[in-house]
Amino acid sequence: MIGFWTSLEGILLFANALAILNEDRFLAPRGWTLAELQGSTRNSLKGQIIGLVHACQFMRLPLILLNIIVIILKLAPV
């Protein structure tokens, strides 16, 4: 059974993966940029995913801090 801590680590890893996606190299050729969304498509599944990707990219500094905290907690003896 997956514990609470393991679930949080998984969410952190997923947020890290979204934060490192390069918009020019990876997202733009596939049409996954905020500029390409129209008003009605922002509520679609694709629009929600694009919003999540951009939110993770915007929150890079807090993600770095969370990663440091998790690494320190993992290295600390129990």
Side-chain angles (χ1 to χ4, degrees), residues 10-73:
I11 291 170
L12 180 63
L13 287 172
F14 184 69
N16 286 328
L18 293 179
I20 64 169
L21 290 176
N22 188 318
E23 186 171 352
D24 295 332
R25 286 185 173 177
F26 183 75
L27 299 173
R30 290 161 178 82
W32 286 72
T33 61
L34 282 177
E36 295 181 16
L37 287 179
Q38 312 312 347
S40 63
T41 59
R42 287 185 184 254
N43 293 330
S44 67
L45 180 62
K46 181 179 177 181
Q48 297 284 325
I49 293 171
I50 292 171
L52 177 65
V53 169
H54 282 276
C56 287
Q57 289 177 350
F58 181 73
M59 299 297 287
R60 282 186 181 159
L61 184 61
L63 277 174
I64 292 170
L65 296 175
L66 280 173
N67 283 312
I68 291 170
I69 291 169
V70 168
I71 290 169
I72 290 171
L73 291 174

